[in-house]
Amino acid sequence: QYVDLFLPTNYKDSKNDTTETNSHSQSNDPHKKTSVRGTVFFVHGGAWGSGQPWMYRLVAPMFLKLNFAVVIVGYRTYPDAPTIDDQCGDVRLAWDKCEHVLNELVVPIRSRNNDDDDGWVGNVIMGHSSGAHVALLMLVDMIGEQMKDFSSARPSNSLNNNYTKATNHTDKKYPWAPNYFIGLSGPYDISYHFDYEAGRGVEQISPMKPICGNSRENFHKASPVKRLLSLLGEQREETIAISSTIQQLTPPILLVHGIEDNIVPFTATADAGRLLRSCGLKQCDEIYLEDTSHQDVIMHIMLGGPAKDLVLDWLMQTSRRETITQLQSRL
């Protein structure tokens, strides 16, 4: 399991509290850390059975230019990872490890003159294709952990906690919480996608069937939206309270899909968006791109194109709204 970490070319002197540019992402001076607007945590695709982080390194440049740290996550693929929970566990391990690594290397950037256009944005979980499925499954499991805490007491550290958007962050630890989720061309309902693969005649050779459990019952368990719905079902007696908790714990979500995708149909995103909103999420947006195939979306992110521009616009606009909302809540 490998993780590629990229840092923008600036550093902050922790002694003098100043930010400078540097031709190298890291400095030998232990007091100097890279100032970032957040971190992009990217989970690659590959039909659950292939893919390596180095294949997706070009995801990094567009975010590095905006002063984000970028993590390209590696994880075991089938059959080395025999179940989808093993893959999800690998990605979660990378997430947990990154908290400690980033705390040593980076600090949240401070905006100049309270201008949010160059200030802290937050941490983004992003995945493409099967990577979007695994990443969303991890996020749902994180929400499930917090919901269990809610059953006994109000969660003390929500996934989308307010302090991570502070423009004058003073905590010594890097604020490591998922503030946004962006899914690109993802299959979020495994049972539905199995039927689609059967229609293409590839269901028996695709790694999806064995890694997701070989049965309809297990396909439902391996589907992140169905897993979230099952969490709600387990706590029906507290429906109103749980719905409110879901809104607090779940970051804004963006789902992107190409209309001409013949690997994962765009209806996968449409159905996922509808079901996620039915769970009470405060923001779940969808973007559909005409004349765009499955691989086109990730190529846009890496090399430039409509998907890149629309994703960045959504991220920055959502960040501004989150900041305004939090400032108003403090009044």
Side-chain angles (χ1 to χ4, degrees):
Q1 183 179 356
Y2 297 93
V3 173
D4 285 343
L5 171 62
F6 300 90
L7 302 179
T9 53
N10 71 76
Y11 62 82
K12 179 173 181 177
D13 191 326
S14 59
K15 282 184 174 179
N16 301 320
D17 197 28
T18 58
T19 300
E20 307 175 30
T21 59
N22 188 4
S23 59
H24 302 285
S25 296
Q26 301 180 34
S27 170
N28 291 327
D29 190 331
H31 298 292
K32 293 177 178 178
K33 294 184 178 182
T34 302
S35 299
V36 298
R37 303 181 68 186
T39 300
V40 175
F41 184 87
F42 180 81
V43 185
H44 68 77
W48 300 275
S50 64
Q52 295 288 340
W54 65 265
M55 299 176 179
Y56 295 85
R57 287 176 179 173
L58 288 178
V59 168
M62 81 175 206
F63 292 105
L64 292 173
K65 291 177 181 177
L66 296 173
N67 271 352
F68 282 84
V70 180
V71 176
I72 311 293
V73 183
Y75 54 94
R76 290 174 297 164
T77 55
Y78 184 82
D80 292 329
T83 72
I84 194 64
D85 286 330
D86 289 322
Q87 283 194 349
C88 188
D90 285 354
V91 176
R92 178 61 185 272
L93 177 62
W95 173 269
D96 292 341
K97 291 291 185 182
C98 282
E99 177 178 13
H100 302 290
V101 173
L102 289 169
N103 191 50
E104 296 296 322
L105 298 177
V106 300
V107 292
I109 200 167
R110 293 188 180 185
S111 61
R112 296 186 293 270
N113 301 319
N114 294 320
D115 183 0
D116 198 53
D117 288 338
D118 65 2
W120 174 256
V121 174
N123 303 308
V124 184
I125 296 177
M126 177 186 290
H128 174 251
S129 191
S130 60
H133 163 253
V134 174
L136 186 55
L137 199 60
M138 178 188 75
L139 179 62
V140 169
D141 285 346
M142 294 166 77
I143 293 170
E145 292 171 6
Q146 293 291 313
M147 289 178 66
K148 289 179 180 178
D149 293 339
F150 177 84
S151 63
S152 57
R154 186 176 182 85
S156 60
N157 180 29
S158 74
L159 296 179
N160 196 27
N161 44 32
N162 289 338
Y163 78 84
T164 60
K165 284 291 293 175
T167 55
N168 293 315
H169 183 75
T170 57
D171 197 320
K172 293 182 179 180
K173 290 187 176 181
Y174 183 70
W176 190 233
N179 303 112
Y180 312 92
F181 177 88
I182 300 176
L184 309 173
S185 310
Y188 307 107
D189 186 323
I190 298 303
S191 186
Y192 174 87
H193 195 60
F194 176 79
D195 292 337
Y196 183 77
E197 289 195 339
R200 297 172 58 221
V202 299
E203 80 282 7
Q204 298 301 330
I205 62 175
S206 168
M208 187 194 73
K209 179 183 177 183
I211 199 171
C212 291
N214 292 296
S215 70
R216 293 288 180 178
E217 180 181 3
N218 288 329
F219 290 167
H220 286 303
K221 293 178 181 178
S223 302
V225 181
K226 298 290 179 63
R227 190 173 289 193
L228 183 59
L229 287 169
S230 69
L231 291 174
L232 288 169
E234 291 172 1
Q235 313 209 28
R236 291 185 184 277
E237 296 179 357
E238 301 179 5
T239 302
I240 296 177
I242 292 300
S243 178
S244 176
T245 303
I246 286 287
Q247 292 180 10
Q248 294 175 26
L249 297 179
T250 308
I253 291 175
L254 174 65
L255 305 178
V256 182
H257 222 113
I259 296 295
E260 302 300 323
D261 192 331
N262 62 359
I263 305 299
V264 180
F266 73 89
T267 51
T269 280
D271 291 342
R274 173 177 55 81
L275 289 173
L276 285 168
R277 285 188 292 274
S278 75
C279 294
L281 304 193
K282 61 181 180 180
Q283 183 175 355
C284 180
D285 299 320
E286 302 157 36
I287 293 176
Y288 299 97
L289 302 168
E290 296 181 352
D291 302 318
T292 303
S293 68
H294 187 71
Q295 293 300 329
D296 286 342
V297 173
I298 190 63
M299 295 304 290
H300 288 179
I301 299 295
M302 293 195 290
L303 301 177
K308 169 187 173 182
D309 298 334
L310 291 168
V311 164
L312 288 179
D313 287 345
W314 177 88
L315 180 60
M316 296 307 170
Q317 290 174 13
T318 304
S319 172
R320 294 186 189 102
R321 285 198 298 268
E322 290 282 297
T323 300
I324 292 172
T325 299
Q326 290 172 20
L327 289 174
Q328 289 175 341
S329 68
R330 296 169 187 165
L331 297 178

Short mmCIF file of all heavy atoms in Angstrom, two decimals, residues 195-239:
data_model
loop_
_atom_site.label_atom_id
_atom_site.label_comp_id
_atom_site.label_asym_id
_atom_site.label_seq_id
_atom_site.Cartn_x
_atom_site.Cartn_y
_atom_site.Cartn_z
N ASP A 195 -26.29 -5.53 -12.53
CA ASP A 195 -27.23 -5.72 -13.64
C ASP A 195 -26.73 -5.03 -14.90
O ASP A 195 -26.87 -5.57 -16.01
CB ASP A 195 -28.62 -5.19 -13.26
CG ASP A 195 -29.28 -6.02 -12.18
OD1 ASP A 195 -28.91 -7.20 -12.01
OD2 ASP A 195 -30.17 -5.48 -11.48
N TYR A 196 -26.14 -3.87 -14.73
CA TYR A 196 -25.61 -3.15 -15.89
C TYR A 196 -24.44 -3.91 -16.51
O TYR A 196 -24.34 -4.04 -17.74
CB TYR A 196 -25.16 -1.74 -15.49
CG TYR A 196 -24.67 -0.91 -16.65
CD1 TYR A 196 -25.56 -0.34 -17.54
CD2 TYR A 196 -23.30 -0.72 -16.86
CE1 TYR A 196 -25.11 0.42 -18.62
CE2 TYR A 196 -22.84 0.04 -17.92
CZ TYR A 196 -23.75 0.59 -18.80
OH TYR A 196 -23.30 1.33 -19.86
N GLU A 197 -23.55 -4.45 -15.66
CA GLU A 197 -22.43 -5.23 -16.17
C GLU A 197 -22.92 -6.52 -16.84
O GLU A 197 -22.35 -6.97 -17.83
CB GLU A 197 -21.45 -5.55 -15.05
CG GLU A 197 -20.65 -4.36 -14.57
CD GLU A 197 -19.44 -4.74 -13.73
OE1 GLU A 197 -19.43 -5.87 -13.18
OE2 GLU A 197 -18.51 -3.92 -13.64
N ALA A 198 -23.99 -7.11 -16.30
CA ALA A 198 -24.56 -8.31 -16.92
C ALA A 198 -25.08 -7.99 -18.31
O ALA A 198 -24.96 -8.80 -19.24
CB ALA A 198 -25.68 -8.87 -16.05
N GLY A 199 -25.65 -6.81 -18.48
CA GLY A 199 -26.12 -6.40 -19.79
C GLY A 199 -24.99 -6.22 -20.78
O GLY A 199 -25.20 -6.35 -22.00
N ARG A 200 -23.81 -5.96 -20.28
CA ARG A 200 -22.63 -5.82 -21.15
C ARG A 200 -21.88 -7.14 -21.29
O ARG A 200 -20.90 -7.23 -22.03
CB ARG A 200 -21.67 -4.76 -20.59
CG ARG A 200 -22.25 -3.36 -20.53
CD ARG A 200 -21.33 -2.41 -19.78
NE ARG A 200 -20.00 -2.35 -20.41
CZ ARG A 200 -18.85 -2.32 -19.74
NH1 ARG A 200 -18.86 -2.36 -18.42
NH2 ARG A 200 -17.71 -2.26 -20.39
N GLY A 201 -22.31 -8.16 -20.54
CA GLY A 201 -21.68 -9.47 -20.62
C GLY A 201 -20.34 -9.57 -19.92
O GLY A 201 -19.53 -10.44 -20.24
N VAL A 202 -20.11 -8.71 -18.90
CA VAL A 202 -18.81 -8.71 -18.22
C VAL A 202 -18.94 -9.02 -16.73
O VAL A 202 -17.96 -8.94 -15.99
CB VAL A 202 -18.08 -7.36 -18.41
CG1 VAL A 202 -17.82 -7.09 -19.89
CG2 VAL A 202 -18.88 -6.22 -17.79
N GLU A 203 -20.15 -9.37 -16.28
CA GLU A 203 -20.36 -9.51 -14.84
C GLU A 203 -19.56 -10.64 -14.21
O GLU A 203 -19.23 -10.59 -13.02
CB GLU A 203 -21.86 -9.70 -14.54
CG GLU A 203 -22.42 -11.10 -14.75
CD GLU A 203 -22.68 -11.44 -16.21
OE1 GLU A 203 -22.30 -10.64 -17.09
OE2 GLU A 203 -23.25 -12.51 -16.47
N GLN A 204 -19.21 -11.67 -15.00
CA GLN A 204 -18.47 -12.81 -14.45
C GLN A 204 -16.96 -12.59 -14.45
O GLN A 204 -16.24 -13.29 -13.74
CB GLN A 204 -18.82 -14.09 -15.22
CG GLN A 204 -20.28 -14.49 -15.13
CD GLN A 204 -20.74 -14.74 -13.70
OE1 GLN A 204 -19.95 -15.14 -12.83
NE2 GLN A 204 -22.02 -14.52 -13.42
N ILE A 205 -16.48 -11.65 -15.24
CA ILE A 205 -15.04 -11.38 -15.28
C ILE A 205 -14.67 -10.11 -14.50
O ILE A 205 -13.50 -9.86 -14.23
CB ILE A 205 -14.52 -11.27 -16.73
CG1 ILE A 205 -15.20 -10.11 -17.46
CG2 ILE A 205 -14.72 -12.59 -17.46
CD1 ILE A 205 -14.64 -9.87 -18.85
N SER A 206 -15.67 -9.33 -14.14
CA SER A 206 -15.40 -8.12 -13.37
C SER A 206 -15.07 -8.47 -11.92
O SER A 206 -15.73 -9.33 -11.32
CB SER A 206 -16.63 -7.20 -13.39
OG SER A 206 -16.50 -6.15 -12.44
N PRO A 207 -14.09 -7.81 -11.32
CA PRO A 207 -13.78 -8.04 -9.90
C PRO A 207 -14.91 -7.59 -8.96
O PRO A 207 -14.90 -7.96 -7.78
CB PRO A 207 -12.52 -7.21 -9.66
CG PRO A 207 -11.93 -6.99 -11.01
CD PRO A 207 -13.09 -6.92 -11.94
N MET A 208 -15.85 -6.80 -9.47
CA MET A 208 -16.87 -6.24 -8.59
C MET A 208 -17.70 -7.32 -7.89
O MET A 208 -17.97 -7.22 -6.69
CB MET A 208 -17.81 -5.31 -9.36
CG MET A 208 -18.79 -4.57 -8.47
SD MET A 208 -20.14 -3.80 -9.38
CE MET A 208 -21.12 -5.27 -9.80
N LYS A 209 -18.11 -8.35 -8.64
CA LYS A 209 -18.97 -9.38 -8.06
C LYS A 209 -18.31 -10.10 -6.88
O LYS A 209 -18.89 -10.15 -5.79
CB LYS A 209 -19.39 -10.39 -9.12
CG LYS A 209 -20.27 -11.51 -8.59
CD LYS A 209 -20.60 -12.52 -9.67
CE LYS A 209 -21.41 -13.69 -9.11
NZ LYS A 209 -21.69 -14.72 -10.14
N PRO A 210 -17.10 -10.63 -7.02
CA PRO A 210 -16.51 -11.33 -5.86
C PRO A 210 -16.12 -10.41 -4.71
O PRO A 210 -16.30 -10.76 -3.55
CB PRO A 210 -15.29 -12.04 -6.46
CG PRO A 210 -14.96 -11.28 -7.70
CD PRO A 210 -16.27 -10.79 -8.23
N ILE A 211 -15.59 -9.23 -5.03
CA ILE A 211 -15.13 -8.38 -3.93
C ILE A 211 -16.29 -7.81 -3.13
O ILE A 211 -16.16 -7.50 -1.94
CB ILE A 211 -14.22 -7.24 -4.45
CG1 ILE A 211 -13.38 -6.68 -3.28
CG2 ILE A 211 -15.03 -6.12 -5.09
CD1 ILE A 211 -12.31 -5.72 -3.70
N CYS A 212 -17.46 -7.73 -3.77
CA CYS A 212 -18.64 -7.20 -3.09
C CYS A 212 -19.55 -8.30 -2.54
O CYS A 212 -20.67 -8.01 -2.10
CB CYS A 212 -19.42 -6.27 -4.01
SG CYS A 212 -18.56 -4.71 -4.36
N GLY A 213 -19.11 -9.55 -2.58
CA GLY A 213 -19.80 -10.58 -1.82
C GLY A 213 -20.63 -11.59 -2.56
O GLY A 213 -21.26 -12.45 -1.94
N ASN A 214 -20.72 -11.48 -3.90
CA ASN A 214 -21.35 -12.53 -4.72
C ASN A 214 -22.86 -12.71 -4.54
O ASN A 214 -23.42 -13.65 -5.09
CB ASN A 214 -20.67 -13.89 -4.47
CG ASN A 214 -19.25 -13.92 -4.99
OD1 ASN A 214 -19.00 -13.82 -6.18
ND2 ASN A 214 -18.30 -14.05 -4.07
N SER A 215 -23.51 -11.87 -3.76
CA SER A 215 -24.95 -12.04 -3.57
C SER A 215 -25.62 -10.68 -3.50
O SER A 215 -24.99 -9.67 -3.18
CB SER A 215 -25.25 -12.82 -2.29
OG SER A 215 -24.95 -12.05 -1.14
N ARG A 216 -26.95 -10.65 -3.78
CA ARG A 216 -27.69 -9.39 -3.72
C ARG A 216 -27.64 -8.78 -2.32
O ARG A 216 -27.51 -7.56 -2.17
CB ARG A 216 -29.15 -9.64 -4.13
CG ARG A 216 -29.35 -10.04 -5.57
CD ARG A 216 -29.12 -8.88 -6.52
NE ARG A 216 -29.33 -9.29 -7.91
CZ ARG A 216 -29.23 -8.48 -8.96
NH1 ARG A 216 -28.90 -7.21 -8.76
NH2 ARG A 216 -29.43 -8.93 -10.19
N GLU A 217 -27.74 -9.63 -1.32
CA GLU A 217 -27.70 -9.13 0.05
C GLU A 217 -26.38 -8.42 0.34
O GLU A 217 -26.36 -7.32 0.91
CB GLU A 217 -27.90 -10.28 1.03
CG GLU A 217 -27.87 -9.85 2.49
CD GLU A 217 -28.03 -11.01 3.45
OE1 GLU A 217 -28.10 -12.18 2.98
OE2 GLU A 217 -28.07 -10.77 4.67
N ASN A 218 -25.30 -9.03 -0.09
CA ASN A 218 -23.99 -8.41 0.13
C ASN A 218 -23.77 -7.20 -0.76
O ASN A 218 -23.07 -6.26 -0.37
CB ASN A 218 -22.88 -9.43 -0.08
CG ASN A 218 -22.82 -10.46 1.03
OD1 ASN A 218 -23.16 -10.17 2.17
ND2 ASN A 218 -22.41 -11.68 0.70
N PHE A 219 -24.37 -7.22 -1.97
CA PHE A 219 -24.27 -6.05 -2.85
C PHE A 219 -24.90 -4.83 -2.16
O PHE A 219 -24.36 -3.72 -2.25
CB PHE A 219 -24.99 -6.31 -4.18
CG PHE A 219 -24.30 -7.31 -5.07
CD1 PHE A 219 -24.95 -7.83 -6.18
CD2 PHE A 219 -23.01 -7.74 -4.81
CE1 PHE A 219 -24.34 -8.76 -7.00
CE2 PHE A 219 -22.38 -8.67 -5.63
CZ PHE A 219 -23.05 -9.17 -6.73
N HIS A 220 -26.03 -5.03 -1.49
CA HIS A 220 -26.67 -3.92 -0.78
C HIS A 220 -25.78 -3.41 0.35
O HIS A 220 -25.64 -2.21 0.55
CB HIS A 220 -28.03 -4.37 -0.23
CG HIS A 220 -29.10 -4.50 -1.26
ND1 HIS A 220 -29.48 -3.46 -2.10
CD2 HIS A 220 -29.88 -5.55 -1.62
CE1 HIS A 220 -30.43 -3.86 -2.91
NE2 HIS A 220 -30.69 -5.14 -2.65
N LYS A 221 -25.16 -4.34 1.07
CA LYS A 221 -24.28 -3.94 2.17
C LYS A 221 -23.05 -3.19 1.65
O LYS A 221 -22.49 -2.35 2.37
CB LYS A 221 -23.84 -5.18 2.96
CG LYS A 221 -24.97 -5.87 3.71
CD LYS A 221 -24.46 -7.12 4.42
CE LYS A 221 -25.58 -7.84 5.15
NZ LYS A 221 -25.09 -9.09 5.81
N ALA A 222 -22.64 -3.51 0.43
CA ALA A 222 -21.45 -2.88 -0.15
C ALA A 222 -21.76 -1.56 -0.85
O ALA A 222 -20.85 -0.92 -1.38
CB ALA A 222 -20.77 -3.84 -1.13
N SER A 223 -23.01 -1.16 -0.87
CA SER A 223 -23.43 0.09 -1.52
C SER A 223 -23.49 1.20 -0.49
O SER A 223 -24.24 1.10 0.49
CB SER A 223 -24.80 -0.09 -2.18
OG SER A 223 -24.77 -1.14 -3.13
N PRO A 224 -22.71 2.27 -0.65
CA PRO A 224 -22.62 3.29 0.40
C PRO A 224 -23.95 3.96 0.73
O PRO A 224 -24.24 4.21 1.92
CB PRO A 224 -21.61 4.30 -0.16
CG PRO A 224 -21.50 4.00 -1.62
CD PRO A 224 -21.80 2.56 -1.78
N VAL A 225 -24.77 4.24 -0.28
CA VAL A 225 -26.05 4.89 0.00
C VAL A 225 -26.97 3.94 0.76
O VAL A 225 -27.64 4.33 1.73
CB VAL A 225 -26.72 5.38 -1.29
CG1 VAL A 225 -28.04 6.07 -0.98
CG2 VAL A 225 -25.79 6.35 -2.02
N LYS A 226 -27.01 2.67 0.35
CA LYS A 226 -27.82 1.68 1.06
C LYS A 226 -27.31 1.48 2.49
O LYS A 226 -28.10 1.28 3.42
CB LYS A 226 -27.80 0.35 0.30
CG LYS A 226 -28.38 0.41 -1.11
CD LYS A 226 -29.87 0.60 -1.08
CE LYS A 226 -30.48 0.69 -2.47
NZ LYS A 226 -30.32 -0.54 -3.26
N ARG A 227 -26.01 1.56 2.66
CA ARG A 227 -25.44 1.42 4.00
C ARG A 227 -25.85 2.60 4.88
O ARG A 227 -26.15 2.42 6.07
CB ARG A 227 -23.92 1.30 3.93
CG ARG A 227 -23.27 0.92 5.24
CD ARG A 227 -21.79 0.65 5.10
NE ARG A 227 -21.49 -0.59 4.39
CZ ARG A 227 -20.28 -1.17 4.36
NH1 ARG A 227 -19.27 -0.62 5.02
NH2 ARG A 227 -20.10 -2.28 3.67
N LEU A 228 -25.89 3.79 4.30
CA LEU A 228 -26.34 4.95 5.06
C LEU A 228 -27.81 4.83 5.42
O LEU A 228 -28.23 5.14 6.54
CB LEU A 228 -26.08 6.23 4.26
CG LEU A 228 -26.44 7.55 4.94
CD1 LEU A 228 -25.66 7.72 6.24
CD2 LEU A 228 -26.18 8.72 4.01
N LEU A 229 -28.62 4.35 4.46
CA LEU A 229 -30.05 4.15 4.74
C LEU A 229 -30.26 3.12 5.84
O LEU A 229 -31.16 3.25 6.67
CB LEU A 229 -30.77 3.72 3.46
CG LEU A 229 -30.97 4.80 2.39
CD1 LEU A 229 -31.45 4.18 1.08
CD2 LEU A 229 -31.95 5.86 2.88
N SER A 230 -29.42 2.09 5.85
CA SER A 230 -29.54 1.07 6.89
C SER A 230 -29.20 1.64 8.26
O SER A 230 -29.78 1.26 9.27
CB SER A 230 -28.65 -0.14 6.58
OG SER A 230 -27.28 0.19 6.71
N LEU A 231 -28.25 2.59 8.30
CA LEU A 231 -27.93 3.24 9.57
C LEU A 231 -29.13 4.03 10.09
O LEU A 231 -29.43 4.02 11.28
CB LEU A 231 -26.73 4.18 9.40
CG LEU A 231 -25.37 3.53 9.15
CD1 LEU A 231 -24.33 4.59 8.85
CD2 LEU A 231 -24.94 2.70 10.35
N LEU A 232 -29.83 4.68 9.18
CA LEU A 232 -31.03 5.41 9.57
C LEU A 232 -32.10 4.44 10.06
O LEU A 232 -32.79 4.71 11.04
CB LEU A 232 -31.56 6.22 8.39
CG LEU A 232 -30.74 7.46 8.00
CD1 LEU A 232 -31.22 8.00 6.67
CD2 LEU A 232 -30.85 8.52 9.07
N GLY A 233 -32.22 3.30 9.37
CA GLY A 233 -33.22 2.31 9.74
C GLY A 233 -33.00 1.71 11.10
O GLY A 233 -33.95 1.32 11.80
N GLU A 234 -31.73 1.62 11.51
CA GLU A 234 -31.41 1.04 12.81
C GLU A 234 -31.84 1.93 13.96
O GLU A 234 -31.92 1.49 15.10
CB GLU A 234 -29.90 0.78 12.91
CG GLU A 234 -29.42 -0.35 11.98
CD GLU A 234 -27.91 -0.44 11.97
OE1 GLU A 234 -27.27 0.36 12.70
OE2 GLU A 234 -27.37 -1.30 11.26
N GLN A 235 -32.10 3.22 13.66
CA GLN A 235 -32.39 4.16 14.74
C GLN A 235 -33.69 4.91 14.46
O GLN A 235 -33.77 6.13 14.57
CB GLN A 235 -31.23 5.14 14.90
CG GLN A 235 -29.89 4.42 14.93
CD GLN A 235 -28.85 5.14 15.75
OE1 GLN A 235 -29.15 5.86 16.69
NE2 GLN A 235 -27.61 4.94 15.40
N ARG A 236 -34.71 4.18 14.04
CA ARG A 236 -35.98 4.78 13.66
C ARG A 236 -36.64 5.52 14.82
O ARG A 236 -37.40 6.47 14.62
CB ARG A 236 -36.94 3.71 13.13
CG ARG A 236 -36.52 3.12 11.78
CD ARG A 236 -37.57 2.16 11.26
NE ARG A 236 -37.14 1.53 10.02
CZ ARG A 236 -37.26 2.08 8.82
NH1 ARG A 236 -37.83 3.27 8.71
NH2 ARG A 236 -36.86 1.45 7.75
N GLU A 237 -36.39 5.09 16.05
CA GLU A 237 -37.03 5.72 17.19
C GLU A 237 -36.57 7.16 17.39
O GLU A 237 -37.24 7.95 18.06
CB GLU A 237 -36.76 4.92 18.47
CG GLU A 237 -37.36 3.51 18.44
CD GLU A 237 -37.04 2.74 19.70
OE1 GLU A 237 -36.31 3.29 20.54
OE2 GLU A 237 -37.51 1.60 19.83
N GLU A 238 -35.44 7.51 16.80
CA GLU A 238 -34.91 8.86 16.95
C GLU A 238 -34.75 9.50 15.58
O GLU A 238 -33.77 10.17 15.29
CB GLU A 238 -33.56 8.84 17.68
CG GLU A 238 -33.62 8.22 19.06
CD GLU A 238 -32.26 8.19 19.74
OE1 GLU A 238 -31.30 8.73 19.15
OE2 GLU A 238 -32.16 7.64 20.83
N THR A 239 -35.76 9.34 14.72
CA THR A 239 -35.65 9.75 13.33
C THR A 239 -35.30 11.22 13.19
O THR A 239 -34.39 11.60 12.44
CB THR A 239 -36.96 9.46 12.58
OG1 THR A 239 -37.24 8.07 12.68
CG2 THR A 239 -36.83 9.86 11.11
#
